[in-house]
Amino acid sequence: MPIKRPPEPTLSGKWPVTITYLKMEDRPAHAMLPAPAAPHAIIKAENPTVSFYRYLYDTVGRDWAWTDRKKLTDAALETIITSSTTEIYVLYIKGVPAGFAELNKADIPEAIDLAYFGIMPEFIGMKMGPYFLSWALEEAWRDDPATVTVNTCTLDHPKALPMYQRFGFQPIRQQELEIDPVIES
């Protein structure tokens, strides 16, 4: 499947990408969003296998050129996803994986990072993203960090940045870079 929003290459043939880093310093004042009507469950993946994680990452990220974790060896990825400071939650709709959220708690009590968050392509547009983000933030704030952080980039879903901001994240910096075009596999 092709990348949803490939940028216009620069003169050097690279893709320009802007990464926006955001943080939230206070627990959201609004209540958690109501659960969707569709039968669903959110389950913590306890010591997930590398193959299961790669399935989640690749399926959620394929339209948005997610590549960072694809570059890791299985051993390096296993170290990250089975770390005691990494929590991976999977959203299921009618028994089918519909998205995942990965919380990195290595910097507790200073910060918890929403390292990865996304919805499977088949479930985009069903209002699952806002509900699941609300749930993931509630889970992050359970540990009472000073801040919760997240980043997104111009390759991500166009509603990602506005949604994070609606939930109370504030941009703290941006980074402009150029990457090699992502070749579909």
Side-chain angles (χ1 to χ4, degrees), residues 1 5 7-8 28 48 61 65-66 71 73 75-76 78 94 99 102 118 120 150 157 176-177 181:
M1 179 175 274
R5 301 183 333 141
E8 189 67 35
W66 286 12
K71 298 173 188 174
T73 65
E78 182 177 29
K94 296 182 180 180
E102 180 178 331
M120 303 272 183
V150 69
H157 191 288
E176 306 282 341
L177 52 105

Side-chain angles (χ1 to χ4, degrees), residues 108-182:
I108 283 286
E110 290 80 26
I112 291 178
D113 183 51
L114 180 57
Y116 288 95
F117 175 83
I119 302 296
M120 303 272 183
E122 299 83 1
F123 296 92
I124 290 175
M126 296 176 62
K127 304 293 184 205
M128 300 309 297
Y131 164 73
F132 191 33
L133 178 59
S134 176
W135 185 94
L137 291 174
E138 188 66 29
E139 189 64 30
W141 283 105
R142 229 181 271 282
D143 288 324
D144 201 30
T147 63
V148 176
T149 61
V150 69
N151 70 67
T152 187
C153 77
T154 49
L155 294 175
D156 283 338
H157 191 288
K159 292 184 178 178
L161 179 58
M163 182 173 70
Y164 291 139
Q165 290 177 297
R166 270 195 321 277
F167 274 82
F169 282 98
Q170 299 295 319
I172 53 173
R173 70 183 172 95
Q174 288 189 317
Q175 178 183 7
E176 306 282 341
L177 52 105
E178 292 185 358
I179 64 169
D180 290 326
V182 176

Side-chain angles (χ1 to χ4, degrees), residues 54-69:
R54 287 197 189 282
Y55 161 72
L56 295 172
Y57 182 89
D58 292 348
T59 305
V60 168
R62 74 174 177 224
D63 291 346
W64 316 112
W66 286 12
T67 59
D68 291 345
R69 295 278 170 95

